[in-house]
Amino acid sequence: MDYINNYIEKNKERFLEELFGLIRIPSISSIKDHKPDMSKAAEYWKNTLLEAGADKADIYETEGNPVTYGEKIIDPALPTVLVYSHMDVMPVDPVDLWDSPPFEPEIRDGKIWARGADDDKGQGMMHAKAFELMVKTNTLPCNVKFMIEGEEEVGSPNLGKWCEQNKEMLKADVILVSDTSMIDAKTPSITTGLRGLAYWQVEVTGPNRDLHSGLFGGAVANPINVLSSMIAKMVDENGKVTIPGFYDDVMEVSAEERELLARAPFNADDYKKAIDVKELAGEKGYSPMECTGIRPSFDVCGIWGGYTGEGAKTVLPSKAFAKISSRLVPNQDHHKIADLFKEHFESIAPKSVKVEVTSLHGGQGYVCPIDIPAYQAAEKAYTNTYGKRPVPVRSGGSIPIISTFEEILGIKSVLMGFGLESDAIHSPNENYPLEQFYNGIKTIPLFYKYFAEMMK
Amino acid sequence: MDYINNYIEKNKERFLEELFGLIRIPSISSIKDHKPDMSKAAEYWKNTLLEAGADKADIYETEGNPVTYGEKIIDPALPTVLVYSHMDVMPVDPVDLWDSPPFEPEIRDGKIWARGADDDKGQGMMHAKAFELMVKTNTLPCNVKFMIEGEEEVGSPNLGKWCEQNKEMLKADVILVSDTSMIDAKTPSITTGLRGLAYWQVEVTGPNRDLHSGLFGGAVANPINVLSSMIAKMVDENGKVTIPGFYDDVMEVSAEERELLARAPFNADDYKKAIDVKELAGEKGYSPMECTGIRPSFDVCGIWGGYTGEGAKTVLPSKAFAKISSRLVPNQDHHKIADLFKEHFESIAPKSVKVEVTSLHGGQGYVCPIDIPAYQAAEKAYTNTYGKRPVPVRSGGSIPIISTFEEILGIKSVLMGFGLESDAIHSPNENYPLEQFYNGIKTIPLFYKYFAEMMK
């Protein structure tokens, strides 16, 4: 589309400058001292939206960091796209591992190097500039709303409540998010699934104090031995979780979609080499990518108990602890799974110990059907830019706010990510290829165009 | 025996004063600042032995703390008893929990209150005073040697070598030790067995770095899950250790001795109540006391890996660790068991992880046959003092130096302990009943008498 390419060509330096302005604000949400920077970033986003052509843009205070909201309603009868992004970034430690200062963006080797270059200032700014492009070229085919939050990197603790309070204002047909990545620079992909999460802490208590392992060892149950046995029983030899009812609600993926998912390039040797393991594990009957994408997992995230210092201290400890998490797939309700685990784990405890299970955290999984107009519009837009139909990808990770949007606002999200694995998000030397930045600005207006057409 | 009672009656105050003099030297072997006190204690013991009637007594320097050695050889043709004790004590922290200063001995409620009152200054001094009694009453029936070390509380790191270097000097028919306890003040017992020990650290490595538990969880083996399963496999549902060959050398205890051992008063309800557990564990077919006394154990002493801080951090960790120990029974060689475990544990590791087993520590078990003259002399001596035949007891703990004596010197030890469980050794408010102190001085000469008679 010439109008798109021309506009980008004419304004590309300015787009970059505007992104750099945002990047220079060190808006680290997890560090209290940066609180004033969060306000500066909110202000920056407000101006960006107004200058791009929003009818209005405002900063909403929350109990945490502010949310910038802006909109352009061209006709209430037309469909509405709600763009979600976040203005906050991760910390930059260890700062001496950076080749250039994290908040002074630099171009080297065709990439922008800075904290937030990809996650999510770079990807967020693509939406602001694509919006500007559509406004200035009179091609905006529908209404647009922007919701830019300041607490994504700390788990969006206040955005759910804010959505609840602003339900009417946020009404839309789809939420558009660029905060994920593609398979690689030549292989576009759209994340269609995110796993949910249940997270527990368990405490196994044996004797009421640490005992002499000689005088008591053999006659008294050792809580570490017991905890180990209980954990061992949770997954069977086929990699299946043994909690009764655990798989009851798992949404089975159609053969067609499994076939599509399998198109994502995956090289088991490279995968194993990258993490230096000789063999992969996982549930029998599923590929490694299916194990992380469409099947739930059961991982001990941490374990501790007894003597953990230098050398050999003999003790039969009083207590052993573990932090356990299960990644869940769509339709598994994390509340239900939390209860099932607790009930089962306590039921298999031998009478020689006391077991306490505490649920620490949870989030629902998310799935974007590949047959809805918004997904198909995104697919078509990517195909136009990259010359290849994007692959639907089920990510093993969780972005809890996405399922919160669905719960509270009742709106599906389409995750049009342009990041690359090599972007080093959350790490030193975060970067974002200029090509991906501009490809995003080019692809997004196409999404709007196809989406508006399909919704007619 | 009147000569014994009379001598004790006449000298009891002085005996106590001499013990107090030893106690007042704060000879804490684990604290470097007390090094000069170790020399003072060695000097004190030397004088004690000389004044009691030793032909000679000397202080032997080692790479660590000195050893005091003294002897009285009345006739090389007669049997020889080698007394072992230690002059060092445990630290006294937390000192504010003591009701009286730990190195200022006090008599209250018929007990001596001080660090070392029992372990092992009180019990050691009984032997010096019993020796004096026999010398002064012309009733010493055999030769006597004393070996008093200064590093028992830090694991006797130099005594083995010193024994090796002084084999000839230390020749004896039996080693006599009072460093254990009786069942209670009315129930004499003799510790006839000590368990050995093997101690390992295991390290399970999965991926080469901590991974995102969402992106990788389900496809990559989690080292904590794997370690738990491996530990779970080490003991079967009957409480039997599954390491092939583990029980091959276990010395089975005769029905007669099991019957004798079972005479030790044991109340399962009290035992469970004291450590607050609802049920005991252990190997099928053996009583709790047999599980700790005559059967080996397999205990995880410590475990750690992954995230162990506050709250819920999702991670698929790179590594998991455990410290594992096995208490061994007589005839199980700790070197052999260390190798068997290493081989077996590594063999059951799935290919998805790397497993490293390091042997950290080991010691042989010890058993004193109940049919040797020295044991029977001790039995007879106790029976005379307490009016009851002492119960042979297999302790679940380990005193590695006792098996070292057997290995290096080829001499059996008889553990004539007079301590009580309530003596709080190693804890604040250590104490030793005056009655036990004087009963010891009364019983020991009887041991010599019966032993010399039996050896004729």
Side-chain angles (χ1 to χ4, degrees), chain B residues 11-27:
Chain B
N11 295 283
K12 61 193 302 185
E13 292 308 319
R14 180 175 55 80
F15 288 174
L16 218 49
E17 262 322 305
E18 289 183 27
L19 169 58
F20 285 10
L22 180 60
I23 286 176
R24 288 191 190 102
I25 304 166
S27 50

Side-chain angles (χ1 to χ4, degrees), chain B residues 124-184:
Chain B
M125 189 58 80
M126 298 179 325
H127 285 269
K129 296 301 102 184
F131 169 58
E132 176 198 309
L133 182 154
M134 293 184 284
V135 173
K136 307 293 174 181
T137 58
N138 284 314
T139 55
L140 184 65
C142 61
N143 306 307
V144 189
K145 298 176 175 180
F146 278 87
M147 154 173 70
I148 315 295
E149 77 152 319
E151 299 184 309
E152 197 270 350
E153 300 294 8
V154 291
S156 307
N158 295 294
L159 193 63
K161 194 176 163 191
W162 185 82
C163 286
E164 194 80 65
Q165 291 162 343
N166 295 283
K167 255 183 178 170
E168 199 56 35
M169 178 173 86
L170 298 170
K171 272 193 173 167
D173 295 279
V174 69
I175 298 174
L176 194 57
V177 185
S178 293
D179 197 16
T180 49
S181 31
M182 302 182 0
I183 288 167
D184 61 51

Side-chain angles (χ1 to χ4, degrees), chain A residues 76-102:
Chain A
L78 287 173
T80 301
V81 172
L82 172 57
V83 175
Y84 164 76
S85 178
H86 62 91
M87 63 184 90
D88 63 319
V89 295
M90 287 291 282
V92 295
D93 298 323
V95 76
D96 52 309
L97 292 184
W98 288 77
D99 295 332
S100 52

Side-chain angles (χ1 to χ4, degrees), chain A residues 119-423:
Chain A
D119 178 20
D120 195 47
K121 289 176 175 175
Q123 295 211 59
M125 188 58 81
M126 298 181 325
H127 285 270
K129 295 301 104 184
F131 168 57
E132 175 197 309
L133 182 154
M134 292 185 285
V135 173
K136 306 294 173 177
T137 57
N138 283 313
T139 54
L140 184 65
C142 61
N143 305 308
V144 189
K145 296 175 176 180
F146 278 87
M147 153 174 69
I148 315 295
E149 76 150 318
E151 298 184 309
E152 197 272 346
E153 300 294 9
V154 290
S156 306
N158 296 293
L159 194 62
K161 192 176 165 192
W162 185 81
C163 286
E164 195 79 65
Q165 291 162 342
N166 294 283
K167 255 184 179 169
E168 198 56 35
M169 179 172 86
L170 297 170
K171 273 196 170 164
D173 296 279
V174 69
I175 297 173
L176 195 58
V177 184
S178 293
D179 196 18
T180 50
S181 30
M182 304 183 359
I183 288 167
D184 61 50
K186 296 192 187 314
T187 315
S189 57
I190 299 172
T191 302
T192 55
L194 296 165
R195 289 199 287 186
L197 177 73
Y199 198 109
W200 307 268
Q201 182 160 319
V202 303
E203 179 178 340
V204 177
T205 305
N208 55 0
R209 60 184 188 280
D210 288 0
L211 299 180
H212 190 290
S213 76
L215 301 181
F216 293 89
V220 176
N222 178 318
I224 304 181
N225 292 54
V226 171
L227 175 59
S228 298
S229 295
M230 291 174 71
I231 290 171
K233 282 184 190 146
M234 302 306 295
V235 180
D236 72 14
E237 66 283 7
N238 292 319
K240 276 229 168 355
V241 177
T242 58
I243 303 167
F246 186 78
Y247 292 96
D248 281 2
D249 301 326
V250 166
M251 185 188 277
E252 296 295 337
V253 176
S254 68
E256 186 207 340
E257 192 170 349
R258 279 179 78 175
E259 198 273 317
L260 257 179
L261 292 168
R263 289 194 196 163
F266 174 77
N267 183 308
D269 287 335
D270 291 349
Y271 187 89
K272 287 189 280 187
K273 208 173 156 188
I275 57 174
D276 193 20
V277 298
K278 281 214 185 76
E279 265 189 19
L280 296 176
E283 193 181 342
K284 216 172 165 176
Y286 295 92
S287 73
M289 286 304 93
E290 287 179 334
C291 284
T292 61
I294 62 173
R295 302 299 295 173
S297 68
F298 186 88
D299 274 296
V300 184
C301 297
I303 194 164
W304 69 104
Y307 179 69
T308 60
E310 283 272 310
K313 186 181 166 188
T314 52
V315 61
L316 195 170
S318 169
K319 283 175 187 289
F321 302 85
K323 291 184 188 268
I324 297 176
S325 82
S326 198
R327 295 283 173 166
L328 307 175
V329 294
N331 268 12
Q332 281 186 297
D333 177 70
H334 75 87
H335 300 289
K336 184 175 165 188
I337 296 294
D339 291 345
L340 286 177
F341 170 77
K342 183 179 161 74
E343 196 180 316
H344 180 61
F345 202 72
E346 290 175 350
S347 79
I348 65 170
K351 284 187 185 144
S352 50
V353 298
K354 294 179 202 84
V355 169
E356 207 182 308
V357 175
T358 313
S359 184
L360 287 189
H361 187 54
Q364 305 296 18
Y366 174 75
V367 68
C368 173
I370 60 177
D371 58 3
I372 60 170
Y375 180 84
Q376 295 186 335
E379 189 176 54
K380 209 168 157 187
Y382 273 107
T383 307
N384 200 300
T385 301
Y386 288 92
K388 261 188 212 170
R389 188 179 168 197
V391 182
V393 167
R394 294 290 190 101
S395 166
S398 310
I399 312 183
I401 195 66
I402 300 297
S403 44
T404 302
F405 290 154
E406 187 168 22
E407 266 176 357
I408 296 177
L409 304 173
I411 314 175
K412 284 281 182 193
S413 296
V414 172
L415 303 174
M416 283 186 74
F418 291 87
L420 297 180
E421 286 234 357
S422 51
D423 292 355

